[in-house]
Amino acid sequence: MSNKSMWNAFRDGQKYMTEWPVRKELAPMFPENRVIRATQFAIKVMPAVAVISVLMQMAFNNYSGLPQAMIMALFALSLPLQGMWWLGKRRETQLPPALAGWYRELHEKIVSEGGAVQPMKSRPRYKELAQTLNRAFKQLDKSSLERWF
């Protein structure tokens, strides 16, 4: 994997965190809700964990434990990156056939009820599903959504 594609995956992961509708109806069907919440938590908490692990060794003059503390700090700092990388890869992954059919049905339902939505993709990815789900939650009434959730 080239550096460019790795950075694109991180950037796409950040986009996907904002695109995906974190809704309780989707939690049993998709891991995105859990990964997004864990990644957001890691972004907030892991930098402090990294700093504290190193400072604790220094505060107690335990410089022999500093290499292990630095490794632990690097691991803590890698956790949010792992989440964003996974989300970025997931965003660009093509939907399996069953989900692609569900995407098309949902897209057609939004269009039939006069909703505004991007043109249907012939080979949809998870990012198109996220955009369509967002539209569905915004534009369709609850009774229309009950069929899918």
Side-chain angles (χ1 to χ4, degrees), residues 9-140:
F10 291 143
R11 188 195 67 227
D12 289 345
Q14 286 180 308
K15 283 184 195 173
Y16 196 51
M17 283 174 49
T18 60
E19 290 173 337
W20 185 262
V22 180
R23 308 259 318 208
K24 65 181 178 183
E25 299 95 330
L26 299 174
M29 297 179 273
F30 299 98
E32 276 81 351
N33 289 11
R34 292 183 301 278
V35 175
I36 288 169
R37 285 197 174 115
T39 302
Q40 289 170 336
F41 177 79
I43 288 169
K44 291 176 187 170
V45 173
M46 288 303 143
V49 169
V51 169
I52 289 169
S53 69
V54 172
L55 289 179
M56 290 295 287
Q57 297 300 317
M58 295 172 77
F60 294 114
N61 288 328
N62 185 9
Y63 292 102
S64 64
L66 198 55
Q68 293 91 341
M70 296 197 50
I71 289 170
M72 185 174 137
L74 289 173
F75 176 73
L77 292 173
S78 77
L79 290 176
L81 295 175
Q82 291 176 45
M84 283 190 283
W85 182 82
W86 186 89
L87 289 165
K89 289 298 186 186
R90 177 74 163 199
R91 180 180 189 261
E92 297 301 322
T93 301
Q94 220 175 338
L95 292 175
L99 271 182
W102 189 57
Y103 157 81
R104 288 183 189 93
E105 286 177 37
L106 194 55
H107 191 281
E108 289 170 2
K109 179 68 173 172
I110 295 169
V111 171
S112 72
E113 293 198 10
V117 68
Q118 293 181 356
M120 188 182 306
K121 304 287 184 188
S122 61
R123 299 178 68 171
R125 295 170 289 187
Y126 278 91
K127 73 177 179 181
E128 283 90 22
L129 178 62
Q131 293 162 355
T132 303
L133 285 168
N134 269 320
R135 283 286 174 209
F137 285 120
K138 288 176 186 167
Q139 295 179 350
L140 299 179

